Amino acid sequence: MEKVVVGLLGVLLGILINEYFRRNARIEKYSDKIFEKRLEIYENFAKEISTANSVITELTNAEELSVEDKKEIAFQAGLKVVEYTDKYEFYLNEEIAIHCSMVFVATGDIFEDEINKESLADFRQGIRDAKLMIRSEAGLSEMDNFFKSVTKSTPGGKLTEGYRAIKKQYAKGKA
């Protein structure tokens, strides 16, 4: 009787181990394809955000347009970002998609008789945060750190050192 119980336990354990390895193999089989697809989608998402950001930045300097025209153009630029998040919602992180959409929803507040500097600063901060989130979610930040550790590279120069100092001050002020 004891041999039968041990045999059954062995069979059950074998089935569980086989299922575990089968699932892992399936995940590995599709993970490369999914990673490449997500990377492409996030790359294009960053381009959409940069394009809309450029449009809104140009609008802040466009004195020949009325406030209503600026608001409409800003709305249309932001709408393209929101439409992109809707189109690729399956691949995009929901929180990042919401953040990016909300950044552009408030762009109308920037354009008044005079540029609302506080709304503009909030918009620019939202764009910076969005770019960092996208790099992190797409795995680029992790890859950068990996490549730095492998190559042991430390780019230098006055401009690079100045950039690092500003980045360090910004991180301290934000913390």
Side-chain angles (χ1 to χ4, degrees):
M1 181 69 175
E2 195 174 296
K3 289 182 180 182
V4 172
V5 172
V6 170
L8 284 174
L9 287 174
V11 168
L12 288 174
L13 184 62
I15 290 170
L16 290 173
I17 290 173
N18 182 42
E19 183 66 17
Y20 172 78
F21 285 117
R22 187 182 66 79
R23 286 184 183 194
N24 279 347
R26 189 172 67 205
I27 289 170
E28 287 178 20
K29 179 179 177 182
Y30 293 109
S31 65
D32 285 344
K33 293 176 186 175
I34 291 171
F35 179 78
E36 287 178 29
K37 179 75 172 173
R38 285 188 74 196
L39 185 60
E40 178 185 338
I41 288 169
Y42 274 107
E43 181 180 1
N44 290 331
F45 189 38
K47 287 178 185 175
E48 287 286 336
I49 290 170
S50 291
T51 300
N53 180 35
S54 295
V55 168
I56 291 167
T57 300
E58 288 295 320
L59 289 174
T60 61
N61 300 322
E63 295 178 11
E64 68 279 357
L65 294 174
S66 70
V67 171
E68 290 307 313
D69 287 344
K70 289 179 182 181
K71 286 184 179 191
E72 180 60 28
I73 293 169
F75 173 78
Q76 292 300 323
L79 184 61
K80 288 182 181 179
V81 172
V82 174
E83 287 172 345
Y84 190 89
T85 63
D86 287 345
K87 184 175 180 180
Y88 295 105
E89 69 180 318
F90 182 75
Y91 292 99
L92 295 173
N93 176 301
E94 181 180 21
E95 293 173 350
I96 294 173
I98 289 171
H99 170 84
C100 294
S101 297
M102 294 307 295
V103 165
F104 287 99
V105 164
T107 55
D109 298 341
I110 296 171
F111 304 105
E112 297 172 357
D113 289 331
E114 290 193 24
I115 298 295
N116 183 328
K117 300 221 185 279
E118 185 178 334
S119 293
L120 182 59
D122 289 344
F123 170 75
R124 288 181 175 155
Q125 182 60 50
I127 294 295
R128 279 191 294 274
D129 292 344
K131 288 178 180 179
L132 290 173
M133 285 189 260
I134 289 170
R135 285 188 60 77
S136 178
E137 185 68 18
L140 296 175
S141 297
E142 187 80 22
M143 291 169 104
D144 286 345
N145 292 336
F146 172 72
F147 289 133
K148 276 184 187 176
S149 70
V150 169
T151 62
K152 307 279 192 259
S153 71
T154 52
K158 285 183 177 182
L159 296 176
T160 304
E161 295 303 321
Y163 167 74
R164 287 184 184 138
I166 291 170
K167 187 176 175 182
K168 192 180 233 183
Q169 283 179 328
Y170 176 75
K172 284 182 182 178
K174 196 170 184 185

